[in-house]
Amino acid sequence: MRKQPRQARSRATVEAIIEAGAHVLSGLGWAGFTTNKVAETAGVSIGSLYQYFPDKLSLLEAIRRRHFDHVLSVIRDSAADGKPLRKFAQDLVRGMIAAHSIHPTLHQVLLDEAPSDRGSRAAHASFQAQYLNHYATAVAAYRKPRKSADTETVARVLSSAVEGVIHNAARRGMLDAPELQKQLVELICAYLSGVKTA
């Protein structure tokens, strides 16, 4: 960002710009993502946008980081307070679906269309490390002891399973399907409780 917002009004303006940017990016893809369109959607002048974001790449990074922060908070909050395994799984699935329902195609655009530079790759690497760490913390808390796999491996498998189901559901417009949510909760519970299937 060109400058950090200090006052509540400035923070609200920046948040409105980032939210509008996510909306435009999700709806129009990278090809339709312009600072003029974002400013219009946010209801601010282009000068106000440029006061905080010097170009659309800096705005893209703010959108990307906000999405990362939202996903990380879902995982962290789901495993908080020593809740039972099923409650953890339900909270995790609901939270992940909510995070990806705001702008269902945003994640796909961020991965497949939007450019990345060294800074964005570093931010993604940092996100991945924190993401896996949060899952590993949950695995350590909820998994029944198994000798066949270490915590990090189980965390990688679990995070990949949840991520794959959520992202595929988003692409197919199925995030609100109750049966999909139910089955994902069952998958998490079965995997972490050590229930063996045939």
Side-chain angles (χ1 to χ4, degrees):
M1 289 181 65
R2 179 166 273 157
K3 75 173 191 176
Q4 292 297 324
R6 304 272 180 222
Q7 300 176 343
R9 183 175 170 188
S10 300
R11 288 193 296 272
T13 298
V14 168
E15 182 56 31
I17 292 168
I18 294 172
E19 174 58 28
H23 178 77
V24 171
L25 194 60
S26 179
L28 301 179
W30 179 247
F33 183 69
T34 67
T35 51
N36 283 326
K37 185 66 177 170
V38 172
E40 178 188 333
T41 303
V44 301
S45 70
I46 192 68
S48 293
L49 185 150
Y50 283 133
Q51 187 177 0
Y52 298 102
F53 302 100
D55 52 38
K56 71 179 190 175
L57 288 175
S58 62
L59 178 54
L60 170 67
E61 285 313 304
I63 294 166
R64 190 177 264 138
R65 286 173 191 270
R66 188 178 76 158
H67 180 67
F68 289 166
D69 289 345
H70 191 176
V71 169
L72 291 174
S73 71
V74 166
I75 304 166
R76 183 184 61 245
D77 295 347
S78 296
D81 303 326
K83 61 188 74 165
L85 172 58
R86 182 163 294 276
K87 177 69 171 143
F88 157 73
Q90 291 168 338
D91 289 351
L92 178 63
V93 170
R94 284 190 199 115
M96 285 298 212
I97 286 173
H100 289 82
S101 294
I102 301 167
H103 301 292
T105 58
L106 177 62
H107 195 271
Q108 186 176 353
V109 173
L110 290 174
L111 285 178
D112 300 338
E113 298 178 28
S116 62
D117 58 16
R118 186 179 305 155
S120 62
R121 287 191 294 273
H124 192 259
S126 173
F127 162 74
Q128 288 288 359
Q130 293 176 69
Y131 182 73
L132 185 61
N133 185 56
H134 285 313
Y135 267 102
T137 299
V139 167
Y142 291 107
R143 182 177 67 137
K144 298 291 183 193
R146 290 189 195 172
K147 296 178 181 176
S148 59
D150 62 81
T151 297
E152 185 175 335
T153 301
V154 173
R156 284 186 187 281
V157 171
L158 181 63
S159 64
S160 296
V162 172
E163 188 177 307
V165 171
I166 296 292
H167 291 171
N168 283 328
R171 285 187 178 102
R172 295 181 175 123
M174 296 176 60
L175 281 172
D176 59 351
E179 187 60 26
L180 182 137
Q181 297 176 31
K182 179 183 172 187
Q183 290 304 316
L184 186 52
V185 168
E186 293 301 324
L187 181 150
I188 295 167
C189 290
Y191 186 48
L192 291 181
S193 67
V195 172
K196 297 202 183 225
T197 57

